[in-house]
């Protein structure tokens, strides 16, 4: 991979996943919440999925919900690190940028809170499309949009004020407007993208930054600034955070915009758009535009 495409330090991403696994009981609340919301979307889909891939789902959090679905034959759990997978069931350690699965192997892929760490998201989506059977479904959840917008703003301003320049401290996130296009480019039909905003309250900005580290969501950018943040910069950032976003009790919010993306591998049985020019009713007539018939 060229340096231009190497956004994340993939070795560090795996170390961060190990850290999440080690402290998941205390710091896995956001992942649990995202998985719950992802599964709520799956409940409404009345389809039999015989073979399922769980990509990035911590041990046991999804399997229990899937057991009640009819026709389920195989569940494979895969992640960048073995620590997060647990000891039971069919587990595979994978590189999310080079998935090892056979063409058409799965009917359903669920991936919560992992694929925002791949350097080439369009390429990974193409691989997921390849390993799905026709009429198979992919459902993803990953941070996007305005996630951590407050932290991004204050870190940039603090570094500019204290050091005369700002480095990369927060990861780039996919834009909700582009997510559907990414699914279409990868070959998925009937793409659906929606966003849930989750706001979490912290005692102060420093506690938020520490929590992000325990969650495995700390800075893993390939071109991150070396070494820890300077003390004066950190103090300035915390002060700006409290002044700009703090409430009357002194607590500060952190915004997480979670993109939920789904798409189907094409199949003749799926709903198809009508051929261009085949409409039997004029749009103006349907909208009852005055004077449209004259």
């Amino acid at each position: 991979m060229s340096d231009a495409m190497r956004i994340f330090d993939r070795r560090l991403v795996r170390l961060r996943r190990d850290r999440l696994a080690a402290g998941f009981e205390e710091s896995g609340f956001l992942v649990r919440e995202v998985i719950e919301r992802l599964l709520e979307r799956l409940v409404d889909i009345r389809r039999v999925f015989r073979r399922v891939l769980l990509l990035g789902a911590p041990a046991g959090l999804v399997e229990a919900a899937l057991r009640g679905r009819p026709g389920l034959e195989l569940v494979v759990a895969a992640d960048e690190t073995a620590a997060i997978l647990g000891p039971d069931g069919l587990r595979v350690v994978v590189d999310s940028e080079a998935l090892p699965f056979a063409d058409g192997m799965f009917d359903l892929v669920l991936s919560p809170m992992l694929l925002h760490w791949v350097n080439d998201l369009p390429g990974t989506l193409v691989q997921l499309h390849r390993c799905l059977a026709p009429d198979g479904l992919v459902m993803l959840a990953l941070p996007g949009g305005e996630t951590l917008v407050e932290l991004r703003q204050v870190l940039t301003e603090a570094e500019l004020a204290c050091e005369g320049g700002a480095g990369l401290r927060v990861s780039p996130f996919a834009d909700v407007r582009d997510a559907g296009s990414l699914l279409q480019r990868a070959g998925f039909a009937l793409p659906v993208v929606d966003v849930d905003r989750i706001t979490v309250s912290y005692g102060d900005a420093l506690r938020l930054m520490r929590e992000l580290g325990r969650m495995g969501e700390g800075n893993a950018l390939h071109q991150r600034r070396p070494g820890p943040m300077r003390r004066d910069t950190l103090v300035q950032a915390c002060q700006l955070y409290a002044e700009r976003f703090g409430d009357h009790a002194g607590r500060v919010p952190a915004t997480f915009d979670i993109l939920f993306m789904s798409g189907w591998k094409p199949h003749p049985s799926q709903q198809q758009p009508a051929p261009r020019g085949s409409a039997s009713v004029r749009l103006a007539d349907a909208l009852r535009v005055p004077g449209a018939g004259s």
Side-chain angles (χ1 to χ4, degrees):
M1 181 175 291
S2 68
D3 287 341
M5 293 185 64
R6 190 176 290 113
I7 303 170
F8 301 109
D9 182 338
R10 300 282 294 152
R11 181 193 65 84
L12 186 55
V13 168
R14 294 183 182 94
L15 291 175
R16 296 278 167 78
R17 299 290 288 176
D18 284 337
R19 187 173 185 182
L20 170 63
F24 193 80
E25 287 300 318
E26 296 77 25
S27 302
F29 65 92
L30 182 62
V31 175
R32 288 194 188 92
E33 179 67 22
V34 170
I35 288 176
E36 182 176 331
R37 297 186 186 206
L38 185 65
L39 290 173
E40 286 175 356
R41 288 162 169 82
L42 181 63
V43 166
D44 296 331
I45 300 174
R46 303 300 180 183
R47 262 286 312 274
V48 172
F49 298 111
R50 296 185 296 112
R51 298 159 297 172
V52 179
L53 171 63
L54 307 179
L55 183 59
L61 290 187
V62 179
E63 289 93 329
L66 293 177
R67 289 192 192 106
R69 294 191 70 96
L72 184 65
E73 298 175 1
L74 174 70
V75 177
V76 177
D79 200 277
E80 300 275 349
T81 174
I84 211 164
L85 291 172
D88 301 322
L90 186 52
R91 306 285 188 250
V92 184
V93 176
V94 300
D95 181 345
S96 300
E97 297 182 342
L99 297 175
F101 305 110
D103 293 1
M105 182 173 179
F106 299 104
D107 304 302
L108 172 65
V109 175
L110 298 175
S111 181
M113 299 294 287
L114 176 62
L115 296 187
H116 58 298
W117 290 121
V118 299
N119 288 303
D120 181 15
L121 181 56
T124 296
L125 291 175
V126 168
Q127 294 182 60
L128 291 176
H129 183 275
R130 174 188 56 77
C131 71
L132 276 172
D135 206 28
L137 174 66
V138 64
M139 299 183 71
L140 315 175
L142 62 159
E146 295 296 306
T147 292
L148 297 176
V149 61
E150 305 93 347
L151 184 62
R152 193 190 311 271
Q153 289 180 11
V154 300
L155 288 179
T156 299
E157 291 188 30
E159 285 193 320
L160 286 171
C162 297
E163 304 178 34
L168 297 172
R169 293 290 184 182
V170 180
S171 299
F173 296 107
D175 193 293
V176 63
R177 294 169 295 183
D178 298 329
S181 297
L182 290 175
L183 288 168
Q184 289 180 314
R185 284 171 53 193
F188 288 101
L190 308 174
V192 175
V193 179
D194 63 295
V195 58
D196 281 3
R197 173 159 290 186
I198 300 173
T199 303
V200 184
S201 175
Y202 290 90
D204 53 56
L206 188 57
R207 294 183 189 182
L208 162 63
M209 288 183 263
R210 288 172 176 165
E211 184 68 18
L212 289 172
R214 289 190 289 264
M215 290 163 56
E217 299 293 335
N219 188 359
L221 291 165
H222 182 66
Q223 296 183 350
R224 65 193 180 278
R225 296 186 71 172
M229 188 181 303
R230 277 176 30 178
R231 181 178 178 82
D232 59 337
T233 304
L234 180 60
V235 170
Q236 176 75 356
C238 291
Q239 289 177 347
L240 285 172
Y241 210 129
E243 292 168 2
R244 191 163 302 168
F245 304 107
D247 62 17
H248 64 280
R251 298 184 66 82
V252 297
T255 296
F256 296 90
D257 280 353
I258 307 300
L259 305 186
F260 292 90
M261 306 166 56
S262 65
W264 296 83
K265 189 162 183 177
H267 187 270
S269 66
Q270 292 169 359
Q271 182 179 355
Q272 303 294 322
R276 185 178 180 85
S278 64
S280 58
V281 178
R282 296 173 62 237
L283 179 60
D285 294 337
L287 297 175
R288 297 181 181 176
V289 178
S294 58

